[in-house]
Amino acid sequence: MMLLILTACAAQKGEKKDIDFIITNRVLTDSVIHFKVVNNSAVAYILPIMIFPEHEKINPIVPAGERSLFFVHTTIYNENDDLMQWYCYDCFPHHNTEEDRQLERLDNLWKERKKDLKLTDLVVLKPKETKIFEIIFRSEIEVTDNSIFRINGINSSDKYYVRLSYSGENTEYPASITPKLEELAEQLGFKIYKKGIVSNKVLLLALKPSSPKS
């Protein structure tokens, strides 16, 4: 059994944040989440967040530091505001050629993304600017044919809520990435945003228990 912990960064009540995430639509299982990224400050920021096809498959296999730095996480809460964990049962079996091939493809895709980092890959916000993004929410994330992450402990009679979170603070930036990020920020006179962000909480509709894939 393998546990994927998706961390959420808690914000102090009453504190105005420089950057906000705001979910703007009703969220269903296997649907698109529309969210605003709002720059409340007078500072121009670059957020090293990358939103791209297959990001949800790559997210669980990258190192924790890179996951915190580059990815927006979908976090699910119950009615008591307890964070629901994502589990993967019997993930990434050894000596499975097809599994290895699928993981290698995702790993190579991620390496290419990092190697050829561009401003268009990142979230860039001028002072007081708002941009709208989309991210897919899935109740099951099929990384490979054999490795599927599911939300643990879902009860169909209970209510659940979704937030988006970014764990950017207290994150060690990879040495291979930092110079490129600093170069991109300097080109435009932007600052790199290095704080955590947590969105508003939205009711998650039609979330049902998942049974392991046979």
Side-chain angles (χ1 to χ4, degrees):
M1 182 185 297
M2 180 177 179
L3 170 64
L4 174 64
I5 302 176
L6 300 181
T7 57
C9 303
Q12 294 182 358
K13 292 183 179 179
E15 178 186 357
K16 183 162 183 175
K17 304 170 214 164
D18 288 339
I19 304 290
D20 273 326
F21 287 170
I22 303 173
I23 299 174
T24 61
N25 66 311
R26 288 159 42 111
V27 180
L28 291 83
T29 298
D30 299 325
S31 67
V32 175
I33 298 175
H34 301 271
F35 68 104
K36 295 178 181 179
V37 183
V38 183
N39 185 354
N40 299 306
S41 76
V43 178
Y45 280 115
I46 289 178
L47 285 73
I49 295 167
M50 287 195 252
I51 301 172
F52 57 94
E54 296 195 285
H55 76 276
E56 77 276 7
K57 289 189 175 186
I58 292 175
N59 187 337
I61 68 172
V62 302
E66 294 183 9
R67 186 183 308 136
S68 297
L69 178 61
F70 290 112
F71 291 85
V72 173
H73 303 299
T74 305
T75 49
I76 310 302
Y77 296 82
N78 63 18
E79 293 180 88
N80 297 321
D81 212 31
D82 298 321
L83 178 64
M84 307 300 292
Q85 304 291 355
W86 292 78
Y87 278 82
C88 189
Y89 296 90
D90 299 321
C91 261
F92 311 128
H94 296 294
H95 310 300
N96 184 312
T97 302
E98 179 61 19
E99 184 88 356
D100 291 342
R101 185 188 66 78
Q102 293 177 40
L103 288 172
E104 183 179 9
R105 183 187 71 81
L106 293 172
D107 184 58
N108 288 336
L109 176 59
W110 178 238
K111 286 177 179 176
E112 286 301 313
R113 281 262 164 194
K114 291 190 297 179
K115 179 181 176 182
D116 192 25
L117 201 61
K118 301 183 182 69
L119 279 175
T120 51
D121 296 326
L122 309 174
V123 176
V124 181
L125 294 170
K126 296 176 183 177
K128 305 300 181 180
E129 185 176 21
T130 296
K131 290 186 176 180
I132 298 175
F133 295 89
E134 296 180 352
I135 193 168
I136 296 175
F137 167 70
R138 303 186 194 279
S139 58
E140 295 187 356
I141 301 173
E142 186 173 315
V143 178
T144 68
D145 291 343
N146 296 293
S147 302
I148 303 172
F149 286 85
R150 298 178 175 89
I151 304 169
N152 188 56
I154 295 298
N155 186 331
S156 58
S157 63
D158 294 339
K159 289 183 180 180
Y160 296 93
Y161 300 85
V162 60
R163 285 190 180 107
L164 299 180
S165 65
Y166 175 62
S167 311
E169 60 187 338
N170 301 321
T171 297
E172 183 176 347
Y173 281 47
S176 59
I177 296 296
T178 301
K180 184 64 174 178
L181 277 175
E182 290 175 345
E183 177 187 336
L184 292 174
E186 188 176 351
Q187 286 175 8
L188 296 178
F190 282 43
K191 290 182 66 176
I192 301 171
Y193 194 75
K194 296 184 178 181
K195 297 180 181 179
I197 308 169
V198 179
S199 78
N200 55 319
K201 185 170 69 173
V202 175
L203 181 65
L204 182 55
L205 304 174
L207 181 62
K208 297 181 180 179
S210 299
S211 56
K213 184 176 180 179
S214 56

